[in-house]
Amino acid sequence: APLWGRGVTAGRLHAAAAVHVAAVRASQRRGKGGGLAGEDIETSDALGAPPRSMAVAVACCLLFAAWSLAVQREVWNASALWKRLGQPWRRVEGREAPEFLGMPESVVDSGDPHEGLSVWDGTVAVFSCIVGTGLLAMPYAFSLAGMLASLLLLCFAGCCLYTGHLLAWSMQALGSYSLGSLVEEAFGGKARRAANIFIVVELWGYLLSSLVCGSLNVAQLGDGLDSHTAVGLCVCLVYAMTFLPSRLMTRVNVLANIALVACCAMFLVTGLCLPGAPPREDIRALRPHGLAPAAGILAFSPAGHSFYPALMGRMKEPAAFPTCLRRAYAAACVLYLAVAVPGYLLFGNAVRPSAVMNIGADLSLAPLPDLGWMNPLAAFGMCIKMLAMATLVLSSLTSTIEHALSRGVLGGGQGAGLRNAVTLGLLSVSTVVAVHFANGMAALLNLLGSVFCMNIAFVIPVLCFWRLAPEPLTCARRLSFVALIVTGLTFALLGFLSAV
């Protein structure tokens, strides 16, 4: 059974399906495959690319890093000058902003009051976190479980929204927008270190997945471009995007979401252009045997809790973050259903684990006439989405590692130099891993996504809120909390057993 059918892939960790899709497209361009349904595909041929291309990619990364360091040094000097001229710290409840927010000084105290995220910026960022390539798997989840999957989807999205509120309320009450600090306040220093490890591992998995998927689509668009060079190009672009102002990055995320919606629109247009409808027996209200794998896909897709502390810390008004959550989840649920329900009705059981594979093809996955232009356009749209997603992940991951290092190793010292060093280190390690271990990465990402994502989304927020609640919880609320914890642990265990 495909990885998707075992319910072990997280909503944003779709490296397996993305590798398959990009490989099919690449084989079509090289004349190897006979169509979208070709299964005899080798994705390892690109890993045997000449060392010269790898050297070019590394050289481009080093040159760009040197240039960006010079540019950023000027930015730091300007920021230091602004502070010397008397720009005060932004204080909340008497604490200095970087310590209070658990965020690096370069992010929080930039001297520009417009750098903080507005409610609109926060909503777009949360929407970008929970609407990724997992949206393209929703029709497949419906084909596994039937139309009842719509109720499961709304249930899981509601649970993720509720635990997101618990996380936001707990951090707001504590006065620290760091998940590690929240866990430490609730369960002690050892628990904080374990929580930081959970977050770092999960976010790094997201980063690797985004880089691999983005590079595969870049390689498809560029004639003769090998995977090494494509990875290097993606890394350079992601690093460049980390220097974009918050408002400009919001526009990039909006563009990325539009590109993803465009891919979904092409999927639905393809369904409307099919020469025939799927068999009537394909459309079922309930498929009991497919509930478990479908629930695995649906549960992971709306879980983006690893990003929320960093996003909340960058808000102009952190107390407004729950509003961002509600708006983003409402829009995401509408989009989930708008793609999944018509997609299932149009394609039936012929829908693929990633809906991109159905774009421009009929129910037997043979190319449709006059729709061949859709595949390159979908690849371009996925490039935009993956690069924007990688930038968002990198920002959250860098902030988490920087805050952990400043507290544990550097004794509270934070600054732009540490942030830049962490960023370059992460991208360097991720580049090597993405280049040399792309083929074996899918199983690892599935394992990380199932175990770490579900604990961070369902277990940690509930336990922290329960422990730090100022008043005793009612019996009904305790039962709901126990149900959420059991749900998270169950899916984590099922994902671990399926992956190993």
Side-chain angles (χ1 to χ4, degrees):
L3 289 174
W4 288 94
R6 293 180 293 178
V8 298
T9 47
R12 294 164 304 281
L13 299 183
H14 296 328
V19 167
H20 184 66
V21 173
V24 172
R25 295 174 179 167
S27 67
Q28 286 181 316
R29 294 172 63 91
R30 295 191 300 264
K32 288 184 179 180
L36 288 176
E39 295 294 333
D40 187 16
I41 298 168
E42 297 181 2
T43 58
S44 60
D45 58 343
L47 297 179
R52 181 174 56 185
S53 62
M54 182 62 182
V56 171
V58 173
C60 291
C61 294
L62 293 177
L63 288 175
F64 188 83
W67 172 81
S68 61
L69 281 173
V71 172
Q72 197 172 40
R73 183 178 296 276
E74 298 299 324
V75 176
W76 299 340
N77 292 337
S79 178
L81 176 61
W82 181 258
K83 292 175 185 176
R84 287 196 297 269
L85 291 176
Q87 174 69 12
W89 287 96
R90 177 166 61 89
R91 294 179 177 270
V92 184
E93 296 182 1
R95 299 188 184 182
E96 291 183 349
E99 177 185 357
F100 173 78
L101 298 178
M103 294 291 291
E105 176 182 340
S106 58
V107 174
V108 178
D109 189 33
S110 62
D112 184 358
H114 300 292
E115 284 299 315
L117 298 179
S118 64
V119 174
W120 164 250
D121 296 330
T123 302
V124 172
V126 174
F127 184 85
S128 299
C129 292
I130 62 177
V131 178
T133 52
L135 175 63
L136 302 174
M138 293 294 177
Y140 179 70
F142 275 59
S143 70
L144 294 175
M147 293 300 297
L148 184 64
S150 58
L151 298 180
L152 286 176
L153 174 60
L154 295 177
C155 177
F156 285 126
C159 291
C160 289
L161 174 59
Y162 181 61
T163 56
H165 275 78
L166 295 179
L167 184 63
W169 292 333
S170 300
M171 292 189 297
Q172 183 72 16
L174 180 64
S176 177
Y177 302 116
S178 166
L179 189 56
S181 299
L182 179 63
V183 173
E184 181 180 21
E185 182 69 18
F187 301 103
K190 293 183 179 180
R192 174 183 62 83
R193 289 188 288 272
N196 285 334
I197 292 174
F198 264 61
I199 297 173
V200 168
V201 172
E202 185 193 3
L203 290 176
W204 190 52
Y206 293 159
L207 179 62
L208 286 175
S209 176
S210 300
L211 290 176
V212 169
C213 297
S215 64
L216 288 171
N217 285 283
V218 168
Q220 178 197 345
L221 295 174
D223 290 328
L225 190 65
D226 60 84
S227 65
H228 295 171
T229 306
V231 170
L233 180 60
C234 288
V235 169
C236 289
L237 291 174
V238 169
Y239 188 58
M241 291 169 67
T242 61
F243 293 94
L244 296 179
S246 298
R247 290 190 174 181
L248 183 56
M249 194 62 212
T250 297
R251 296 173 183 173
V252 173
N253 281 322
V254 170
L255 178 61
N257 292 328
I258 292 175
L260 181 64
V261 172
C263 291
C264 296
M266 287 187 285
F267 166 69
L268 296 179
V269 169
T270 300
L272 294 174
C273 295
L274 292 175
R280 296 188 62 180
E281 57 270 17
D282 283 3
I283 311 301
R284 298 284 186 85
L286 174 64
R287 296 178 185 269
H289 63 279
L291 284 177
I297 298 173
L298 300 175
F300 290 122
S301 297
H305 295 60
S306 296
F307 303 94
Y308 298 163
L311 292 177
M312 191 172 179
R314 294 172 57 193
M315 293 282 294
K316 293 180 183 178
E317 300 178 3
F321 188 70
T323 301
C324 301
L325 290 176
R326 290 191 293 271
R327 294 179 179 179
Y329 273 88
C333 287
V334 171
L335 186 58
Y336 287 155
L337 295 177
V339 173
V341 174
Y344 175 47
L345 295 177
L346 290 172
F347 288 90
N349 293 338
V351 67
R352 306 304 296 168
S354 178
V356 178
M357 301 176 68
N358 291 101
I359 294 179
D362 59 17
L363 296 179
S364 61
L365 297 183
L368 289 172
D370 301 327
L371 294 183
W373 55 272
M374 285 188 174
N375 275 328
L377 187 59
F380 179 73
M382 292 307 297
C383 285
I384 298 176
K385 178 61 181 178
M386 289 297 102
L387 292 177
M389 186 68 188
T391 305
L392 188 62
V393 173
L394 180 62
S395 177
S396 298
L397 179 57
T398 301
S399 298
T400 301
I401 295 179
E402 181 186 2
H403 184 57
L405 289 176
S406 64
R407 294 194 59 181
V409 179
L410 304 179
Q414 284 181 304
L418 175 60
R419 181 176 182 82
N420 194 70
V422 172
T423 302
L424 291 176
L426 284 171
L427 287 178
S428 300
V429 174
S430 300
T431 301
V432 174
V433 174
V435 166
H436 291 285
F437 302 102
N439 287 331
M441 195 179 299
L444 175 62
L445 294 179
N446 291 331
L447 177 63
L448 298 180
S450 59
V451 175
F452 292 90
C453 175
M454 295 310 295
N455 279 287
I456 293 175
F458 283 84
V459 179
I460 293 179
V462 174
L463 290 178
C464 289
F465 185 89
W466 196 341
R467 184 67 177 268
L468 299 176
E471 299 178 357
L473 301 178
T474 63
C475 182
R477 202 166 198 184
R478 290 182 181 181
L479 290 176
S480 64
F481 281 7
V482 171
L484 289 171
I485 294 172
V486 170
T487 299
L489 294 178
T490 300
F491 280 107
L493 178 61
L494 291 177
F496 175 79
L497 294 177
S498 300
V500 299

